[in-house]
Amino acid sequence: MKQFDPSWTSNSEKHHLVPNTYLKGWQHTDSKVYYIDKNENQIDFTNQNFSKNTRKINRVDNFYSRRVGALFQSKLDCDKYFAPLKQHGYTVKIDGVKVSNSIELNKNFYNYDKWGIYDVHAKLISEDDKKSLKEKIKSIHIRDLEEAWNQLYENPWPSVRNDIVTEINRNIGVDKIPSVRREDLVKFMVSIEWRTEPAPQLLKNNYNKIVKLLGIEDILKDPIPDEDKMYPFINTYGDDFLHNYLLKQYYDLFNNTGPIYKSAQNICNTMNLELLIPETGYEFITSDNPVFPFLNKNNDTEYIFPITPDLACAVRKGNPVDKEHYFLTSLNKNEVFAYNEQIKKGCNKGYILRQPSISTYFNQGTV
């Protein structure tokens, strides 16, 4: 498998929380799906156009970009942010003390306006030059994460999906098949859980522990002044702290460590994967939050993940664990309806259909 390269970069500013390559599995034509707001009660395809381009679903500008001033930055990142200082030969003093370490500069960037910045002749630069330099530093985006999603997860997904479907089609009438691309499927599924909103409970738990340890609960409630906002979707210091903590989890994942990677490994090692096939004429929905964890009757965590309209994956507690096979289960229409209700329940803002027909997905009396 291709390995993460921190020198990767991307020119794209349009970042998707749910990959476009995944959503296209529900396209009815030219990258368009039927997107239904979760609060929509009157669903009439003859009078309302619910069609939406997959490129515009769950898209946030620069969501995976890292910028100066954020916590959890590496030395490599910080060197990139403050390269303009070196280019001009500038020296920085903070509270009268010379600071050249880029990590320290990043930690103190919130106080940039009080920095003393000196040119090669040991003279303070002008306020105009100082403001211009600040904007230049803030304009630097590190987008290795966006490119890593692209190369390591999004581009391979159609191949993973097609290989699984092909294996099912060549084994009609059996109750289990070889678990082709099993680890790829699990890693993709778990990554989706961590990419979408709301944030997974494990992330919230880890985040709350750090906040409590640092004793910064009250500070995080404060709003960020408009002139200091790095992103339009972040309004408080708590939003900023959580977002950058999340970016760190993605970086760890691409380096085969951290809680996302461990979650995927735990599923691979302790759980069975059951592929669900709907009754002919009925389909699975998906959503802007397609991985739905829930507690079964034994209080164990299980997952449901729609792969295509014609296939979903259920992750069950393994006893014993069979890593060599997928278990196949055919569902009648009422069972499909029940799973779709769960997927709809788990959506953040909306859910997605391939067909302009509610009866394909739900018992119409419950929609």
Side-chain angles (χ1 to χ4, degrees):
M1 181 178 179
K2 187 182 293 186
Q3 299 297 309
F4 173 66
D5 184 342
S7 69
W8 283 344
T9 189
S10 170
N11 293 323
S12 174
E13 297 181 359
K14 310 297 184 183
H15 299 173
H16 290 87
L17 306 191
V18 182
N20 199 31
T21 53
Y22 170 75
L23 294 177
K24 281 184 176 181
W26 277 258
Q27 68 182 6
H28 57 80
T29 180
D30 193 26
S31 298
K32 290 185 177 181
V33 297
Y34 294 105
Y35 179 87
I36 314 295
D37 186 285
K38 69 176 182 180
N39 296 316
E40 181 69 56
N41 293 319
Q42 301 298 322
I43 305 172
D44 183 353
F45 291 98
T46 62
N47 293 322
Q48 188 172 350
N49 183 14
F50 291 98
S51 193
K52 192 170 185 178
N53 195 299
T54 58
R55 291 191 296 273
K56 296 182 179 180
I57 297 174
N58 254 29
R59 187 179 73 186
V60 181
D61 287 357
N62 286 309
F63 188 85
Y64 302 116
S65 298
R66 296 194 300 285
R67 292 175 68 187
V68 69
L71 298 177
F72 313 112
Q73 303 275 23
S74 69
K75 180 69 163 54
L76 180 62
D77 287 352
C78 296
D79 286 346
K80 292 177 182 178
Y81 300 138
F82 296 106
L85 290 173
K86 287 190 174 182
Q87 292 168 3
H88 291 283
Y90 289 156
T91 299
V92 174
K93 289 187 178 180
I94 301 176
D95 295 329
V97 179
K98 181 180 177 181
V99 178
S100 57
N101 184 284
S102 62
I103 292 179
E104 291 303 313
L105 291 172
N106 185 68
K107 287 180 181 178
N108 287 277
F109 190 73
Y110 71 95
N111 208 22
Y112 176 89
D113 293 343
K114 295 183 179 180
W115 288 7
I117 303 180
Y118 299 83
D119 64 18
V120 292
H121 303 293
K123 293 183 178 180
L124 280 170
I125 65 174
S126 70
E127 284 301 311
D128 285 344
D129 285 345
K130 188 176 179 180
K131 289 179 181 178
S132 177
L133 178 65
K134 183 178 183 180
E135 292 308 309
K136 187 172 184 179
I137 292 171
K138 288 171 63 177
S139 71
I140 296 172
H141 289 255
I142 297 178
R143 297 196 180 102
D144 53 2
L145 298 181
E146 169 64 8
E147 186 60 21
W149 284 126
N150 182 44
Q151 293 203 37
L152 300 180
Y153 285 80
E154 297 176 16
N155 287 350
W157 172 246
S159 172
V160 174
R161 179 188 63 211
N162 293 343
D163 285 351
I164 294 171
V165 171
T166 297
E167 193 66 30
I168 293 172
N169 290 338
R170 69 159 59 108
N171 288 280
I172 301 297
V174 301
D175 59 4
K176 61 182 180 180
I177 61 171
S179 55
V180 296
R181 310 296 293 272
R182 184 176 189 270
E183 185 172 352
D184 293 329
L185 170 59
V186 170
K187 289 175 68 175
F188 186 83
M189 182 189 73
V190 173
S191 77
I192 293 292
E193 182 189 10
W194 283 72
R195 283 177 70 162
T196 50
E197 298 176 344
Q201 192 59 48
L202 179 58
L203 174 71
K204 294 177 183 178
N205 293 343
N206 291 346
Y207 167 79
N208 289 334
K209 287 178 183 177
I210 293 176
V211 169
K212 187 174 182 179
L213 181 65
L214 296 176
I216 57 176
E217 293 96 330
D218 292 338
I219 297 174
L220 297 182
K221 297 176 184 177
D222 293 341
I224 301 175
D226 288 342
E227 63 272 17
D228 291 334
K229 285 185 179 181
M230 293 292 181
Y231 302 95
F233 57 90
I234 290 178
N235 297 306
T236 68
Y237 289 103
D239 294 338
D240 184 64
F241 191 88
L242 178 59
H243 178 67
N244 284 288
Y245 181 66
L246 183 59
L247 295 184
K248 180 184 184 300
Q249 309 314 309
Y250 299 149
Y251 192 89
D252 288 346
L253 168 65
F254 298 140
N255 287 282
N256 296 327
T257 187
I260 310 178
Y261 176 78
K262 291 178 181 178
S263 293
Q265 291 302 303
N266 179 63
I267 289 175
C268 284
N269 293 327
T270 68
M271 304 186 83
N272 288 327
L273 273 61
E274 181 181 353
L275 300 181
L276 310 175
I277 302 171
E279 179 181 336
T280 301
Y282 300 90
E283 295 184 350
F284 293 109
I285 68 169
T286 191
S287 81
D288 57 2
N289 183 36
V291 180
F292 186 77
F294 60 95
L295 293 177
N296 64 17
K297 61 183 180 181
N298 297 319
N299 212 35
D300 293 323
T301 299
E302 297 186 357
Y303 299 84
I304 178 70
F305 174 54
I307 296 175
T308 74
D310 303 310
L311 184 66
C313 177
V315 182
R316 320 280 195 196
K317 187 73 174 179
N319 188 23
V321 179
D322 187 344
K323 299 181 183 179
E324 303 302 318
H325 297 93
Y326 295 126
F327 297 90
L328 299 184
T329 300
S330 295
L331 304 182
N332 62 43
K333 68 177 183 180
N334 291 321
E335 291 171 320
V336 176
F337 293 161
Y339 274 110
N340 283 339
E341 287 292 345
Q342 291 294 324
I343 299 165
K344 177 184 174 183
K345 179 181 177 182
C347 78
N348 185 42
K349 293 182 178 180
Y351 56 97
I352 292 164
L353 320 177
R354 179 172 63 176
Q355 306 289 343
S357 167
I358 287 299
S359 62
T360 304
Y361 303 94
F362 299 101
N363 181 334
Q364 288 187 286
T366 66
V367 176

